[in-house]
Amino acid sequence: MLPIFYDDAFQLHDTGFYHPENGGRLTAVAAALRAQPWADQLDWRSPTPVDRQGDRLTQALLRVHPRDYLEAVRALSNQGGGQIDPDTPVSPLTYDVARLAVSAWLDGVDVVHQHQCPAFVLARPPGHHALAQRGMGFCIFSNAAIAAYYALEQAGIQRVAIFDWDVHHGNGTQAIVETHPRLAYCSMHQYPFYPGTGAPTEQGHYNNVLNIPMAAGSTIEDYSPRLEQDVIPFLKGFAPDLIIVSAGYDGNQADPLAGISLQPRDYGLFTQACLDVSHAVLLGLEGGYDYNTLSQSVVATLEACLARVDIT
């Protein structure tokens, strides 16, 4: 069984009717997955509730975000919501939902590490743009970075690599992990594009960052050589005990927020590349705003997992 961490509560982060990062994204993906002929191989799991986390969740958040930022998000939610920046709304339940999303990523780390098989976190809000001291770009807390730091505290995990295939550069994730010698970050992203970071000269404090800018209009024919010649050698050279994937699907040709020309099936190839390095792969949703291609892409991702790994 392939674990999928999901909860209907993720719909309660209300971004407004016209915002592209909305709860319908998860509804569409969940419906597509449940319609697959292999749906009985999926193990749908609710994340550990926030009120049952004890200190685990708070400590994980505080490793990455200062307490004053956490309190600011909580206060904004409690007063009825508002804007962190023009793209990043906070609703009355955002603080609780964002913490539940982090809980799902932490649970995912535990399951992947225990079973050495992949898992998928179908949660929102996304996280890879969130900086330590402020959210931005639809993101509240830095989910992947939090999961990576948490993973380093688990017995048997010495190194964690993050592969970010979202069409936007994960500026927040990079800024948070690039100063740690046992964390690595690799990103393929449209460039120049929002948020303006991710140049190839950004290599981290320990040569632990690899940025691969892709031109608008790039297809899998452009991505494949860079994947084979750069991404896989970088990940294998780092020899991670766990790979975390910031799985954004806004590189699809049909996506309204970017200009890359990937197809949903291409994300199966990305997933296979990760599994070539390690079967201990935690994938978590980032972007993807066309419901149809988002759903098809997650299907391709999980098909690749089920085809390559004996999940029992």
Side-chain angles (χ1 to χ4, degrees), residues 108-117 151 154-157 241-242 280:
V109 169
D110 290 342
V111 167
V112 171
H113 181 43
Q114 179 181 356
H115 297 288
Q116 294 296 295
C117 284
Q154 310 313 305
I157 298 182
D241 300 298
L242 175 72

Side-chain angles (χ1 to χ4, degrees), residues 48-287:
T48 303
V50 169
D51 60 4
R52 286 184 20 214
Q53 282 280 5
D55 292 334
R56 172 178 177 253
L57 178 60
T58 300
Q59 290 173 355
L61 283 162
L62 288 172
R63 286 187 201 100
V64 167
H65 296 291
R67 191 177 296 274
D68 61 353
Y69 173 62
L70 302 181
E71 289 300 317
V73 176
R74 183 181 65 83
L76 193 56
S77 286
N78 287 345
Q79 71 184 31
Q83 297 285 138
I84 291 180
D85 72 4
D87 294 325
T88 313
V90 168
S91 68
L93 293 175
T94 291
Y95 178 66
D96 292 333
V97 176
R99 288 191 299 157
L100 186 65
V102 172
S103 178
W105 284 73
L106 301 184
D107 288 348
V109 169
D110 290 342
V111 167
V112 171
H113 181 43
Q114 179 181 356
H115 297 288
Q116 294 296 295
C117 284
F120 194 91
V121 178
L122 183 59
R124 59 184 288 272
H128 74 150
H129 292 310
L131 298 163
Q133 301 199 42
R134 66 180 175 93
M136 61 179 285
F138 310 167
C139 301
I140 308 296
F141 300 138
S142 190
N143 303 320
I146 294 167
Y149 274 89
Y150 170 77
L152 288 181
E153 296 198 343
Q154 310 313 305
I157 298 182
Q158 294 298 316
R159 289 174 300 280
V160 178
I162 299 171
F163 178 29
D164 188 336
W165 69 47
D166 191 280
V167 78
H168 303 95
H169 179 245
N171 59 305
T173 306
Q174 178 181 306
I176 291 165
V177 308
E178 68 181 353
T179 58
H180 199 298
R182 294 196 287 133
L183 297 175
Y185 176 77
C186 175
S187 175
M188 302 182 77
H189 50 272
Q190 184 176 338
Y191 186 89
F193 200 47
Y194 180 89
T197 52
T201 52
E202 299 171 24
Q203 298 177 354
H205 291 216
Y206 302 93
N207 289 319
N208 57 337
V209 169
L210 175 65
N211 282 307
I212 303 175
M214 304 299 296
S218 293
T219 67
I220 193 61
E221 284 72 27
D222 303 299
Y223 271 75
S224 289
R226 304 305 305 271
L227 194 64
E228 296 169 6
Q229 298 167 21
D230 299 304
V231 175
I232 294 177
F234 176 78
L235 294 175
K236 285 185 174 179
F238 191 71
D241 300 298
L242 175 72
I243 296 174
I244 294 173
V245 177
S246 276
Y249 298 100
D250 37 8
N252 274 302
Q253 188 171 21
D255 197 275
L257 297 191
I260 295 294
S261 297
L262 293 171
Q263 303 301 319
R265 63 181 177 273
D266 299 334
Y267 291 97
L269 300 178
F270 291 174
T271 306
Q272 292 171 21
C274 294
L275 294 170
D276 283 340
V277 180
S278 172
H279 285 180
V281 178
L282 174 63
L283 305 108
L285 185 65
E286 297 281 3

